[in-house]
Amino acid sequence: FACGCSPGGRSLTCPPWPAISVPLTVFLTGSDRIPIYGMSSLRIIIQSTPSGEQYLPVAHTCYNLLDLPKYSSKEILSARLVQAIDHYEGFSLA
């Protein structure tokens, strides 16, 4: 994965949080702030969706949930994740 995470059965193993980019953290959580109990307290759920490869990953920031379509290769997954992060607008109140 673009963030350095690697699949392990039904779970995902990720590097320590400083190695994960700030844009990815903002995309997944909706915040660029560290949780009050530290990054180790943050639980992100990644679930597979039946949508096709043309769809981008979707983050549900209130639940730290990432809907991830089943892609046929790491390259497609990485490209779609980067595209989703690059076009993320966040919660603009201005």
Side-chain angles (χ1 to χ4, degrees):
F1 297 115
C3 64
C5 298
S6 59
R10 294 185 57 111
S11 64
L12 197 64
T13 303
C14 295
W17 275 104
I20 295 178
S21 69
V22 171
L24 177 61
T25 304
V26 173
F27 177 71
L28 293 172
T29 66
S31 175
D32 62 350
R33 305 285 188 241
I34 294 174
I36 194 166
Y37 294 111
M39 293 304 278
S40 62
S41 68
L42 184 62
R43 300 290 178 247
I44 295 174
I45 300 166
I46 300 175
Q47 68 181 10
S48 176
T49 60
S51 53
E53 288 194 345
Q54 70 273 20
Y55 293 96
L56 297 175
V58 175
H60 303 276
T61 56
C62 291
Y63 303 102
N64 296 334
L65 173 68
L66 178 66
D67 288 340
L68 195 62
K70 292 183 181 180
Y71 298 113
S72 60
S73 70
K74 287 183 180 182
E75 291 77 21
I76 294 173
L77 181 141
S78 180
R80 296 291 187 268
L81 190 57
V82 167
Q83 185 179 5
I85 291 169
D86 286 347
H87 291 90
Y88 175 73
E89 293 185 16
F91 300 105
S92 177
L93 301 176

